Amino acid sequence: MTKLLDGNLLAKEIRNEISKIIKEKILNKNKRIPHLGIILIGNNSSSITYVNNKIKECKNIGIEYSLIHLSVNTLEKELLKEIKKMNQNPYVDGFIVQFPLEKHMNHDKIILSINPKKDVDGFHPENFGKMALDMKSFVPATALGILTLLKKYKIQISGKYTVIIGRSRIVGRPISILMSRKNDTGNSTVTLTHSKTINIEYYTKQADIIIVAVGIPGFLKGKMIKTGAIVIDVGIHKNEKKILGDVDFYSVYGKASYLTPVPGGIGPMTRVMLLKNTLMAALNNR
Ligand code: GUN
């Protein structure tokens, strides 16, 4: 029997918790409402959907937002100017630059230009480095969402063998660091697999926990996992008929002990975690 890990339900609980904290610690004390800045460049349809969902989440929770939508042809120096404005604007508690960037922009230069105190994505090397060294920092929202969902369902991570598929800076790399840290959401033995891994099934078949963030629809098949494995699907792909994850749901369902659905698994968790980071930035800033 496979149990589905309900990200929608937990996201709702966390949304309510954030709203309650905003009321008690901010509104009741006549402080300014937290504010998330979003910079979006170009017309990538997935990015537009992600950003719209983040805005919807801000409205639901009661966090203010501002959106700067720049055209595809925006020069890198113009983007840097917008980032500088966000860095300096005292009303913006935290902000994100939606990725992927246009090809003519230097990803590293953009990340480095964000004030680490406002980096609610947790992608700046100062936050990423602190995360790797067990120091307090902003933690990337998807990784935080995965850990929070596992904790909610009382799934033990400590001592388990975790295999991650995909080494992106947004998901695979941070979650590999977090799950191997020496603390109560870590202590796992982690293998980070990627496009150059030979015989990926050798690893996935042994894994107690598998996190799939590879960006290929239906990549992880039932025959690649052991019975009772816990499977976390970070992918989201739309075709004409439906929404698919990186996991081949129908062959994994029934063999895994736990599985995240797509949609309704990691997606809503990622969105609320971004707003939790924004609240943290607001509380740190005041
Ligand atoms: N693109 C896909 N996921 C993310 C994310 O978590 N943050 C940003 N900034 N861009 C993304």
Side-chain angles (χ1 to χ4, degrees):
M1 243 278 283
T2 302
K3 191 170 169 50
L4 293 179
L5 300 171
D6 192 339
N8 275 335
L9 193 68
L10 181 54
K12 196 171 168 189
E13 280 177 30
I14 295 170
R15 212 171 278 140
N16 290 338
E17 277 167 27
I18 298 174
S19 298
K20 191 163 166 249
I21 295 172
I22 292 177
K23 185 165 185 283
E24 286 170 4
K25 293 202 174 168
I26 295 178
L27 295 179
N28 289 353
K29 297 191 174 165
N30 290 324
K31 291 185 181 166
R32 192 171 48 72
I33 295 173
H35 189 117
L36 172 69
I38 301 172
I39 302 179
L40 170 65
I41 308 109
N43 300 314
N44 177 311
S45 65
S46 301
S47 293
I48 291 172
T49 305
Y50 288 143
V51 165
N52 284 339
N53 286 338
K54 286 170 190 180
I55 289 173
K56 218 184 279 170
E57 199 67 67
C58 286
K59 289 178 181 167
N60 280 340
I61 291 181
I63 282 185
E64 285 183 355
Y65 72 92
S66 46
L67 171 65
I68 306 291
H69 192 170
L70 304 171
S71 80
V72 183
N73 304 320
T74 303
L75 298 175
E76 186 183 84
K77 68 175 184 196
E78 290 167 332
L79 171 59
L80 289 168
K81 216 185 270 176
E82 292 299 333
I83 292 174
K84 193 170 175 191
K85 278 195 223 160
M86 290 269 187
N87 281 338
Q88 291 175 345
N89 185 341
Y91 293 101
V92 173
D93 293 295
F95 68 97
I96 63 160
V97 178
Q98 184 67 26
F99 296 121
L101 296 173
E102 294 301 319
K103 287 203 170 53
H104 62 279
M105 292 172 172
N106 180 325
H107 185 274
D108 292 352
K109 202 166 163 186
I110 299 306
I111 296 268
L112 284 165
S113 70
I114 297 172
N115 176 356
K117 291 193 170 57
K118 294 191 176 189
D119 169 37
V120 284
D121 259 332
F123 295 158
H124 188 284
E126 184 174 318
N127 285 310
F128 219 87
K130 282 182 171 173
M131 177 183 70
L133 296 169
D134 297 345
M135 296 178 193
K136 194 171 183 304
S137 69
F138 290 113
V139 169
T142 304
L144 202 54
I146 293 169
L147 294 181
T148 308
L149 193 58
L150 290 173
K151 192 169 177 192
K152 172 72 181 177
Y153 283 85
K154 298 189 170 55
I155 292 169
Q156 194 190 331
I157 297 175
S158 179
K160 300 290 181 190
Y161 179 44
T162 299
V163 170
I164 296 156
I165 309 177
R167 60 182 154 184
S168 73
R169 293 181 184 187
I170 294 178
V171 186
R173 210 92 62 89
I175 194 69
S176 73
I177 293 169
L178 290 163
M179 291 185 79
S180 59
R181 292 203 313 189
K182 191 174 179 178
N183 65 18
D184 64 351
T185 56
N187 288 325
S188 184
T189 305
V190 175
T191 297
L192 180 57
T193 66
H194 46 74
S195 55
K196 298 283 184 288
T197 301
I198 293 165
N199 194 4
I200 218 162
E201 286 174 51
Y202 171 79
Y203 303 96
T204 55
K205 276 179 182 163
Q206 297 175 67
D208 302 307
I209 303 171
I210 308 174
I211 297 172
V212 198
V214 72
I216 302 170
F219 179 84
L220 186 82
K221 309 270 189 287
K223 65 177 186 203
M224 296 166 72
I225 72 167
K226 71 176 181 186
T227 302
I230 293 145
V231 178
I232 305 294
D233 189 349
V234 181
I236 183 147
H237 313 270
K238 270 191 200 134
N239 69 18
E240 313 80 53
K241 288 191 199 136
K242 53 183 177 176
I243 296 175
L244 300 168
D246 285 355
V247 172
D248 178 40
F249 188 90
Y250 291 103
S251 65
V252 168
Y253 188 86
K255 192 168 183 190
S257 57
Y258 291 93
L259 173 61
T260 56
V262 177
I266 297 304
M269 290 303 297
T270 298
R271 292 195 291 275
V272 288
M273 288 303 151
L274 174 66
L275 296 205
K276 196 170 178 189
N277 281 348
T278 305
L279 171 64
M280 192 169 115
L283 295 172
N284 289 345
N285 285 347
R286 318 266 167 96

